[in-house]
Amino acid sequence: MTLSIPFDNSYARLPEQLFSRQDPTEVGAPKFIAFNAGLADQLGISGYEDNGELARVFAGNEVPKGADPIAQLYAAHQFGQWNPQLGDGRAILLGEVDAKMGRRDIQLKGSGPTPYSRNGDGRAWLGPVLREYVVSEAMHALGIPTTRALAAMETGESVLRETVLPGAVITRVASSHMRVGTFQVMSARRDTEGLTALYEYAVDRHYPSAKDPLEFLKAVMDAQAALIAKWMSVGFIHGVMNTDNCAISGETIDYGPCAFMDEFDPMQVYSSIDRRGRYAYGNQPDIIVWNMAQLATALVPLMPDMDEAIQLFTQAVHSMPDVIQSYWTQAFGAKLGLSIPDANDVELINGLLKIMAAQKADFTNTFRTLSADNARDQFTNPLEFDAWAEGWKQRIEREPSATETMNAANPWVIPRNHQIEAMIQSAVSGDYAKFHEMNALLATPYTEQPDAVAYTRPPAEAERVQATFCGT
Ligand code: AMP
Ligand code: MG
């Protein structure tokens, strides 16, 4: 049987200023690493038994039947600076499938240059490909909206970064790849035809009940508010929340120097390119509001009256922090076993976070061990924790299913940085056992898996990862 993907491409039918037709560039020696059969089944993909064929298709050497490969145009604010033209510099959208779970994009990343590559080589090296595969699938298993990983293949070619590294291609699946920056580019070019077409397409694809640009903006803000609260609740730091890495769908997208925190530090930054900490853990709720303000600005030309649009959009953006706060309270309340947290509970949550920060407690393990009643072991001065826990225990007396609530909100295992680095190290030397082991383990992150307890341990001093590199 040969590979069959039921493509049904719609983005490629939009006005052509939104993208460029571009085939992937052939690579020297495609080699199979991984294929996500469970996801493929959900997408209606069949005939995927031949790893050789999969390697050829998902390394970009064979364009599958029905694909209509394009690179999408976008712009962005990068670290607050306007960049009028970016676009998929190393990604190619093969096409879409209209699956049971909804329409999904299938996109190769690292598949060669495009008209938007600027000085880049259009390639990716193995490390970021494997990191994205493991972390995006882990995020999905954690219940956090995200792009998914369908495949990872070696190219058999090397790429030059700080050193010479093995090349690879990841295939990602997203409910779409429209970004804040996609709207920005049309708006900045005063291309009303393009902007209107994009807006109508996005409404139809993601928010069909939105009746006007204001409702659309509010729907995107709501999805993003919910997303950021979820990131915060698992200690996730995206690392590059530029407006091109901010999806209209509300999915986590563009896994670069992302990381999960070990010890809790509200201002934690891992990305080596984020020198001023713009995208630090604790800044994420503010930055998403900033990004939504950029989306609002881009949508203004779609409104009949500019002054009125600015007034309405400003109001909407100003209301976003409260929306985030309410999702945040819900998410962190659940971590303490509270089914319907109220305003008083915010103080309780912050009380714990304050002690965790002061004592550098491990984020994941502290929350997870609350339900087993041994979280005090995570603190160097447990008496402070005990004092907090007294009030907490009183509060959860009113919660009949506190334990279940906590164990469904506090993962037992997350993809820790030092484990990801070790996994990449062994893959570079040709051993993918740890990559597969991590994928299997992280598929059920809320379940205790006693054989894998090593993955729940914070890094020893020597294992500690100081910085993650954009390392594209
Ligand atoms: P990122 O910050 O990874 O989202 O990337 C920002 C922009 O740089 C996007 O337009 C990417 O397509 C582009 N880019 C990143 N790496 C490369 C590369 N190796 N070759 C070409 N373009 C790239
Ligand atoms: Mg990006």
Side-chain angles (χ1 to χ4, degrees):
M1 235 178 116
T2 57
L3 182 68
S4 164
I5 306 176
F7 282 112
D8 175 38
N9 310 322
S10 61
Y11 201 89
R13 289 196 293 270
L14 287 174
E16 58 187 21
Q17 63 266 40
L18 279 160
F19 57 87
S20 298
R21 288 219 148 66
Q22 175 68 56
D23 278 346
T25 305
E26 272 196 40
V27 300
K31 193 173 150 216
F32 183 90
I33 302 172
F35 184 73
N36 189 340
L39 177 58
D41 291 341
Q42 290 176 45
L43 294 171
I45 297 174
S46 60
Y48 51 72
E49 293 75 19
D50 176 355
N51 285 359
E53 182 184 25
L54 292 178
R56 290 193 301 279
V57 169
F58 294 106
N61 282 24
E62 262 174 38
V63 175
K65 194 161 163 274
D68 189 356
I70 60 172
Q72 292 173 315
L73 173 70
Y74 48 85
H77 280 94
Q78 297 176 299
F79 293 91
Q81 298 291 320
W82 174 240
N83 189 331
Q85 190 187 307
L86 287 166
D88 293 331
R90 54 166 175 165
I92 288 171
L93 177 65
L94 289 179
E96 302 143 33
V97 299
D98 194 5
K100 268 201 209 91
M101 60 177 166
R103 180 170 290 274
R104 291 292 184 274
D105 280 5
I106 300 180
Q107 190 201 57
L108 304 181
K109 186 168 162 188
S111 51
T114 77
Y116 313 123
S117 296
R118 296 172 294 160
N119 297 321
D121 59 4
R123 293 294 175 193
W125 78 274
L126 185 61
V129 164
L130 299 182
R131 177 186 284 115
E132 171 156 351
Y133 197 112
V134 169
V135 178
S136 67
E137 286 301 298
M139 291 286 270
H140 172 71
L142 286 163
I144 300 176
T146 177
T147 62
R148 304 280 311 270
L150 179 65
M153 303 295 158
E154 285 181 39
T155 61
E157 295 178 353
S158 13
V159 292
L160 184 63
R161 296 293 181 259
E162 285 88 29
T163 52
V164 175
L165 295 158
V169 178
I170 183 163
T171 304
R172 103 182 141 183
V173 169
S175 70
S176 86
H177 285 85
M178 281 176 280
R179 305 143 188 274
V180 169
T182 322
F183 285 81
Q184 286 183 291
V185 75
M186 288 295 114
S187 193
R189 291 181 179 185
R190 301 180 192 280
D191 181 340
T192 316
E193 183 212 26
L195 184 62
T196 306
L198 180 68
Y199 163 73
E200 286 172 354
Y201 179 85
V203 167
D204 185 49
R205 189 159 168 179
H206 294 297
Y207 304 105
S209 62
K211 286 190 289 296
D212 58 35
L214 177 63
E215 286 190 10
F216 173 72
L217 174 66
K218 285 183 176 165
V220 178
M221 288 197 312
D222 191 72
Q224 283 290 344
L227 178 68
I228 300 312
K230 289 200 164 173
W231 287 359
M232 302 301 280
S233 78
V234 294
F236 179 77
I237 306 168
H238 181 283
V240 217
M241 288 175 71
N242 294 336
T243 58
D244 59 322
N245 297 334
C246 185
I248 295 302
S249 66
E251 287 177 337
T252 311
I253 193 169
D254 275 10
Y255 290 85
C258 64
F260 285 79
M261 276 193 288
D262 295 302
E263 62 198 34
F264 181 55
D265 170 2
M267 289 320 279
Q268 181 70 56
V269 177
Y270 289 103
S271 166
S272 60
I273 56 171
D274 190 4
R275 293 201 185 85
R276 295 191 183 166
R278 179 181 169 91
Y279 300 137
Y281 172 81
N283 285 348
Q284 296 182 125
D286 288 344
I287 288 294
I288 199 60
V289 177
W290 195 90
N291 286 354
M292 291 298 104
Q294 308 316 312
L295 176 62
T297 306
L299 295 174
V300 167
L302 295 171
M303 296 286 274
D305 179 309
M306 193 168 113
D307 290 335
E308 192 195 24
I310 291 173
Q311 194 211 332
L312 291 170
F313 288 180
T314 304
Q315 229 171 34
V317 171
H318 284 174
S319 69
M320 193 182 183
D322 285 344
V323 180
I324 299 173
Q325 177 67 45
S326 125
Y327 280 116
W328 183 93
T329 306
Q330 190 62 46
F332 276 83
K335 295 178 81 65
L336 297 190
L338 314 177
S339 50
I340 309 174
D342 60 37
N344 294 330
D345 295 325
V346 172
E347 211 178 307
L348 187 70
I349 300 165
N350 281 325
L352 176 60
L353 290 174
K354 207 169 146 193
I355 307 170
M356 286 170 63
Q359 299 199 31
K360 301 187 190 310
D362 186 83
F363 187 87
T364 304
N365 293 348
T366 301
F367 280 107
R368 181 67 189 197
T369 52
L370 282 174
S371 68
D373 213 12
N374 55 0
R376 74 189 307 276
D377 299 348
Q378 302 293 322
F379 294 86
T380 43
N381 174 2
L383 295 179
E384 270 182 71
F385 171 80
D386 292 343
W388 172 85
E390 226 173 283
W392 171 60
K393 282 180 181 155
Q394 263 171 24
R395 170 66 181 84
I396 58 170
E397 274 170 21
R398 288 186 272 140
E399 295 282 347
S401 17
T403 303
E404 291 77 4
T405 305
M406 283 189 272
N407 287 345
N410 297 320
W412 180 73
V413 65
I414 42 122
R416 288 183 188 265
N417 270 325
H418 67 292
Q419 294 291 356
I420 291 178
E421 290 304 322
M423 175 276 287
I424 292 171
Q425 287 302 318
S426 50
V428 167
S429 60
D431 179 1
Y432 285 99
K434 198 169 169 77
F435 167 74
H436 293 299
E437 186 176 74
M438 288 184 80
N439 283 324
L441 169 69
L442 291 161
T444 54
Y446 295 99
T447 309
E448 302 195 7
Q449 301 165 69
D451 302 352
V453 77
Y455 282 98
T456 69
R457 289 194 192 111
E461 206 47 45
E463 293 172 319
R464 197 185 277 270
V465 176
Q466 303 295 354
T468 51
F469 296 90
C470 207
T472 59

PDB file of all heavy atoms in Angstrom, residues 408-431:
ATOM      1  N   ALA A 408      -5.470  15.534  38.415  1.00  0.00           N
ATOM      2  CA  ALA A 408      -5.766  15.796  37.004  1.00  0.00           C
ATOM      3  C   ALA A 408      -5.198  17.140  36.559  1.00  0.00           C
ATOM      4  O   ALA A 408      -5.196  17.456  35.374  1.00  0.00           O
ATOM      5  CB  ALA A 408      -7.281  15.775  36.787  1.00  0.00           C
ATOM      6  N   ALA A 409      -4.727  17.937  37.515  1.00  0.00           N
ATOM      7  CA  ALA A 409      -4.204  19.269  37.173  1.00  0.00           C
ATOM      8  C   ALA A 409      -2.696  19.367  37.380  1.00  0.00           C
ATOM      9  O   ALA A 409      -2.061  20.264  36.834  1.00  0.00           O
ATOM     10  CB  ALA A 409      -4.901  20.336  38.011  1.00  0.00           C
ATOM     11  N   ASN A 410      -2.150  18.455  38.155  1.00  0.00           N
ATOM     12  CA  ASN A 410      -0.721  18.493  38.466  1.00  0.00           C
ATOM     13  C   ASN A 410      -0.010  17.301  37.846  1.00  0.00           C
ATOM     14  O   ASN A 410      -0.084  16.189  38.363  1.00  0.00           O
ATOM     15  CB  ASN A 410      -0.517  18.472  39.988  1.00  0.00           C
ATOM     16  CG  ASN A 410      -1.103  19.697  40.655  1.00  0.00           C
ATOM     17  OD1 ASN A 410      -0.999  20.798  40.131  1.00  0.00           O
ATOM     18  ND2 ASN A 410      -1.732  19.506  41.804  1.00  0.00           N
ATOM     19  N   PRO A 411       0.687  17.514  36.727  1.00  0.00           N
ATOM     20  CA  PRO A 411       1.339  16.381  36.079  1.00  0.00           C
ATOM     21  C   PRO A 411       2.380  15.736  36.994  1.00  0.00           C
ATOM     22  O   PRO A 411       3.046  16.420  37.773  1.00  0.00           O
ATOM     23  CB  PRO A 411       2.002  16.996  34.851  1.00  0.00           C
ATOM     24  CG  PRO A 411       1.999  18.467  35.070  1.00  0.00           C
ATOM     25  CD  PRO A 411       0.879  18.773  35.999  1.00  0.00           C
ATOM     26  N   TRP A 412       2.494  14.435  36.844  1.00  0.00           N
ATOM     27  CA  TRP A 412       3.532  13.696  37.564  1.00  0.00           C
ATOM     28  C   TRP A 412       4.879  13.898  36.881  1.00  0.00           C
ATOM     29  O   TRP A 412       5.909  13.954  37.522  1.00  0.00           O
ATOM     30  CB  TRP A 412       3.157  12.212  37.585  1.00  0.00           C
ATOM     31  CG  TRP A 412       4.135  11.330  38.303  1.00  0.00           C
ATOM     32  CD1 TRP A 412       4.316  11.247  39.654  1.00  0.00           C
ATOM     33  CD2 TRP A 412       5.063  10.417  37.709  1.00  0.00           C
ATOM     34  NE1 TRP A 412       5.305  10.338  39.939  1.00  0.00           N
ATOM     35  CE2 TRP A 412       5.775   9.812  38.771  1.00  0.00           C
ATOM     36  CE3 TRP A 412       5.354  10.050  36.390  1.00  0.00           C
ATOM     37  CZ2 TRP A 412       6.768   8.857  38.548  1.00  0.00           C
ATOM     38  CZ3 TRP A 412       6.333   9.107  36.168  1.00  0.00           C
ATOM     39  CH2 TRP A 412       7.037   8.516  37.247  1.00  0.00           C
ATOM     40  N   VAL A 413       4.823  14.000  35.572  1.00  0.00           N
ATOM     41  CA  VAL A 413       6.073  14.162  34.815  1.00  0.00           C
ATOM     42  C   VAL A 413       5.890  15.199  33.710  1.00  0.00           C
ATOM     43  O   VAL A 413       4.802  15.309  33.129  1.00  0.00           O
ATOM     44  CB  VAL A 413       6.556  12.798  34.258  1.00  0.00           C
ATOM     45  CG1 VAL A 413       5.569  12.244  33.234  1.00  0.00           C
ATOM     46  CG2 VAL A 413       7.949  12.883  33.658  1.00  0.00           C
ATOM     47  N   ILE A 414       6.929  15.961  33.478  1.00  0.00           N
ATOM     48  CA  ILE A 414       6.965  16.921  32.368  1.00  0.00           C
ATOM     49  C   ILE A 414       8.301  16.703  31.644  1.00  0.00           C
ATOM     50  O   ILE A 414       9.204  16.081  32.203  1.00  0.00           O
ATOM     51  CB  ILE A 414       6.876  18.382  32.881  1.00  0.00           C
ATOM     52  CG1 ILE A 414       7.755  18.594  34.126  1.00  0.00           C
ATOM     53  CG2 ILE A 414       5.444  18.788  33.196  1.00  0.00           C
ATOM     54  CD1 ILE A 414       8.773  19.651  33.980  1.00  0.00           C
ATOM     55  N   PRO A 415       8.434  17.197  30.415  1.00  0.00           N
ATOM     56  CA  PRO A 415       9.726  17.045  29.727  1.00  0.00           C
ATOM     57  C   PRO A 415      10.735  18.043  30.292  1.00  0.00           C
ATOM     58  O   PRO A 415      10.726  19.210  29.923  1.00  0.00           O
ATOM     59  CB  PRO A 415       9.406  17.352  28.264  1.00  0.00           C
ATOM     60  CG  PRO A 415       8.090  18.029  28.238  1.00  0.00           C
ATOM     61  CD  PRO A 415       7.404  17.811  29.553  1.00  0.00           C
ATOM     62  N   ARG A 416      11.537  17.576  31.205  1.00  0.00           N
ATOM     63  CA  ARG A 416      12.511  18.483  31.822  1.00  0.00           C
ATOM     64  C   ARG A 416      13.646  18.755  30.842  1.00  0.00           C
ATOM     65  O   ARG A 416      14.075  17.876  30.092  1.00  0.00           O
ATOM     66  CB  ARG A 416      13.042  17.881  33.121  1.00  0.00           C
ATOM     67  CG  ARG A 416      11.999  17.891  34.240  1.00  0.00           C
ATOM     68  CD  ARG A 416      12.566  17.357  35.538  1.00  0.00           C
ATOM     69  NE  ARG A 416      11.514  17.198  36.536  1.00  0.00           N
ATOM     70  CZ  ARG A 416      11.212  18.114  37.461  1.00  0.00           C
ATOM     71  NH1 ARG A 416      11.898  19.229  37.548  1.00  0.00           N
ATOM     72  NH2 ARG A 416      10.223  17.882  38.302  1.00  0.00           N
ATOM     73  N   ASN A 417      14.126  20.003  30.939  1.00  0.00           N
ATOM     74  CA  ASN A 417      15.207  20.452  30.068  1.00  0.00           C
ATOM     75  C   ASN A 417      16.406  19.542  29.982  1.00  0.00           C
ATOM     76  O   ASN A 417      16.933  19.289  28.909  1.00  0.00           O
ATOM     77  CB  ASN A 417      15.778  21.747  30.637  1.00  0.00           C
ATOM     78  CG  ASN A 417      15.072  22.919  30.087  1.00  0.00           C
ATOM     79  OD1 ASN A 417      14.679  22.896  28.922  1.00  0.00           O
ATOM     80  ND2 ASN A 417      14.906  23.926  30.904  1.00  0.00           N
ATOM     81  N   HIS A 418      16.879  19.122  31.135  1.00  0.00           N
ATOM     82  CA  HIS A 418      18.122  18.338  31.121  1.00  0.00           C
ATOM     83  C   HIS A 418      17.882  16.975  30.495  1.00  0.00           C
ATOM     84  O   HIS A 418      18.786  16.405  29.880  1.00  0.00           O
ATOM     85  CB  HIS A 418      18.727  18.216  32.526  1.00  0.00           C
ATOM     86  CG  HIS A 418      17.927  17.424  33.505  1.00  0.00           C
ATOM     87  ND1 HIS A 418      16.713  17.842  33.990  1.00  0.00           N
ATOM     88  CD2 HIS A 418      18.161  16.214  34.082  1.00  0.00           C
ATOM     89  CE1 HIS A 418      16.243  16.927  34.830  1.00  0.00           C
ATOM     90  NE2 HIS A 418      17.094  15.932  34.904  1.00  0.00           N
ATOM     91  N   GLN A 419      16.652  16.469  30.601  1.00  0.00           N
ATOM     92  CA  GLN A 419      16.335  15.195  29.946  1.00  0.00           C
ATOM     93  C   GLN A 419      16.252  15.384  28.436  1.00  0.00           C
ATOM     94  O   GLN A 419      16.692  14.525  27.669  1.00  0.00           O
ATOM     95  CB  GLN A 419      15.012  14.634  30.485  1.00  0.00           C
ATOM     96  CG  GLN A 419      15.055  14.237  31.952  1.00  0.00           C
ATOM     97  CD  GLN A 419      15.923  13.012  32.215  1.00  0.00           C
ATOM     98  OE1 GLN A 419      16.443  12.393  31.284  1.00  0.00           O
ATOM     99  NE2 GLN A 419      16.080  12.662  33.491  1.00  0.00           N
ATOM    100  N   ILE A 420      15.692  16.509  28.027  1.00  0.00           N
ATOM    101  CA  ILE A 420      15.624  16.783  26.585  1.00  0.00           C
ATOM    102  C   ILE A 420      17.035  16.921  26.015  1.00  0.00           C
ATOM    103  O   ILE A 420      17.342  16.364  24.951  1.00  0.00           O
ATOM    104  CB  ILE A 420      14.794  18.051  26.321  1.00  0.00           C
ATOM    105  CG1 ILE A 420      13.329  17.759  26.648  1.00  0.00           C
ATOM    106  CG2 ILE A 420      14.937  18.522  24.871  1.00  0.00           C
ATOM    107  CD1 ILE A 420      12.408  18.926  26.483  1.00  0.00           C
ATOM    108  N   GLU A 421      17.886  17.634  26.732  1.00  0.00           N
ATOM    109  CA  GLU A 421      19.267  17.797  26.252  1.00  0.00           C
ATOM    110  C   GLU A 421      19.957  16.437  26.148  1.00  0.00           C
ATOM    111  O   GLU A 421      20.644  16.159  25.161  1.00  0.00           O
ATOM    112  CB  GLU A 421      20.064  18.732  27.169  1.00  0.00           C
ATOM    113  CG  GLU A 421      19.630  20.188  27.095  1.00  0.00           C
ATOM    114  CD  GLU A 421      19.666  20.778  25.677  1.00  0.00           C
ATOM    115  OE1 GLU A 421      20.595  20.452  24.901  1.00  0.00           O
ATOM    116  OE2 GLU A 421      18.755  21.547  25.333  1.00  0.00           O
ATOM    117  N   ALA A 422      19.764  15.595  27.154  1.00  0.00           N
ATOM    118  CA  ALA A 422      20.389  14.263  27.121  1.00  0.00           C
ATOM    119  C   ALA A 422      19.828  13.440  25.960  1.00  0.00           C
ATOM    120  O   ALA A 422      20.574  12.727  25.272  1.00  0.00           O
ATOM    121  CB  ALA A 422      20.160  13.548  28.453  1.00  0.00           C
ATOM    122  N   MET A 423      18.532  13.567  25.729  1.00  0.00           N
ATOM    123  CA  MET A 423      17.890  12.846  24.624  1.00  0.00           C
ATOM    124  C   MET A 423      18.488  13.300  23.289  1.00  0.00           C
ATOM    125  O   MET A 423      18.789  12.470  22.417  1.00  0.00           O
ATOM    126  CB  MET A 423      16.375  13.124  24.691  1.00  0.00           C
ATOM    127  CG  MET A 423      15.530  12.575  23.576  1.00  0.00           C
ATOM    128  SD  MET A 423      15.472  13.615  22.111  1.00  0.00           S
ATOM    129  CE  MET A 423      14.438  14.972  22.672  1.00  0.00           C
ATOM    130  N   ILE A 424      18.680  14.617  23.134  1.00  0.00           N
ATOM    131  CA  ILE A 424      19.249  15.137  21.885  1.00  0.00           C
ATOM    132  C   ILE A 424      20.691  14.644  21.715  1.00  0.00           C
ATOM    133  O   ILE A 424      21.084  14.199  20.635  1.00  0.00           O
ATOM    134  CB  ILE A 424      19.176  16.690  21.853  1.00  0.00           C
ATOM    135  CG1 ILE A 424      17.712  17.137  21.748  1.00  0.00           C
ATOM    136  CG2 ILE A 424      19.996  17.260  20.697  1.00  0.00           C
ATOM    137  CD1 ILE A 424      17.486  18.635  21.923  1.00  0.00           C
ATOM    138  N   GLN A 425      21.440  14.699  22.804  1.00  0.00           N
ATOM    139  CA  GLN A 425      22.824  14.209  22.760  1.00  0.00           C
ATOM    140  C   GLN A 425      22.890  12.778  22.244  1.00  0.00           C
ATOM    141  O   GLN A 425      23.687  12.454  21.373  1.00  0.00           O
ATOM    142  CB  GLN A 425      23.463  14.224  24.166  1.00  0.00           C
ATOM    143  CG  GLN A 425      23.818  15.611  24.686  1.00  0.00           C
ATOM    144  CD  GLN A 425      24.773  16.336  23.752  1.00  0.00           C
ATOM    145  OE1 GLN A 425      25.717  15.738  23.231  1.00  0.00           O
ATOM    146  NE2 GLN A 425      24.503  17.609  23.507  1.00  0.00           N
ATOM    147  N   SER A 426      22.037  11.921  22.791  1.00  0.00           N
ATOM    148  CA  SER A 426      22.148  10.531  22.343  1.00  0.00           C
ATOM    149  C   SER A 426      21.642  10.358  20.916  1.00  0.00           C
ATOM    150  O   SER A 426      22.189   9.562  20.160  1.00  0.00           O
ATOM    151  CB  SER A 426      21.523   9.533  23.330  1.00  0.00           C
ATOM    152  OG  SER A 426      20.255   9.929  23.683  1.00  0.00           O
ATOM    153  N   ALA A 427      20.637  11.144  20.518  1.00  0.00           N
ATOM    154  CA  ALA A 427      20.156  11.052  19.133  1.00  0.00           C
ATOM    155  C   ALA A 427      21.236  11.479  18.141  1.00  0.00           C
ATOM    156  O   ALA A 427      21.393  10.869  17.083  1.00  0.00           O
ATOM    157  CB  ALA A 427      18.906  11.899  18.950  1.00  0.00           C
ATOM    158  N   VAL A 428      21.974  12.516  18.506  1.00  0.00           N
ATOM    159  CA  VAL A 428      23.044  12.977  17.612  1.00  0.00           C
ATOM    160  C   VAL A 428      24.072  11.866  17.408  1.00  0.00           C
ATOM    161  O   VAL A 428      24.635  11.720  16.324  1.00  0.00           O
ATOM    162  CB  VAL A 428      23.701  14.275  18.164  1.00  0.00           C
ATOM    163  CG1 VAL A 428      25.001  14.593  17.447  1.00  0.00           C
ATOM    164  CG2 VAL A 428      22.734  15.449  18.042  1.00  0.00           C
ATOM    165  N   SER A 429      24.261  11.043  18.436  1.00  0.00           N
ATOM    166  CA  SER A 429      25.189   9.933  18.235  1.00  0.00           C
ATOM    167  C   SER A 429      24.474   8.677  17.717  1.00  0.00           C
ATOM    168  O   SER A 429      25.026   7.581  17.738  1.00  0.00           O
ATOM    169  CB  SER A 429      25.984   9.655  19.514  1.00  0.00           C
ATOM    170  OG  SER A 429      25.091   9.335  20.544  1.00  0.00           O
ATOM    171  N   GLY A 430      23.244   8.857  17.248  1.00  0.00           N
ATOM    172  CA  GLY A 430      22.576   7.772  16.533  1.00  0.00           C
ATOM    173  C   GLY A 430      21.651   6.904  17.374  1.00  0.00           C
ATOM    174  O   GLY A 430      21.062   5.944  16.876  1.00  0.00           O
ATOM    175  N   ASP A 431      21.494   7.240  18.643  1.00  0.00           N
ATOM    176  CA  ASP A 431      20.676   6.409  19.527  1.00  0.00           C
ATOM    177  C   ASP A 431      19.356   7.123  19.856  1.00  0.00           C
ATOM    178  O   ASP A 431      19.347   8.120  20.592  1.00  0.00           O
ATOM    179  CB  ASP A 431      21.478   6.130  20.806  1.00  0.00           C
ATOM    180  CG  ASP A 431      20.692   5.292  21.801  1.00  0.00           C
ATOM    181  OD1 ASP A 431      19.527   4.914  21.497  1.00  0.00           O
ATOM    182  OD2 ASP A 431      21.230   5.035  22.891  1.00  0.00           O
TER     183      ASP A 431
END
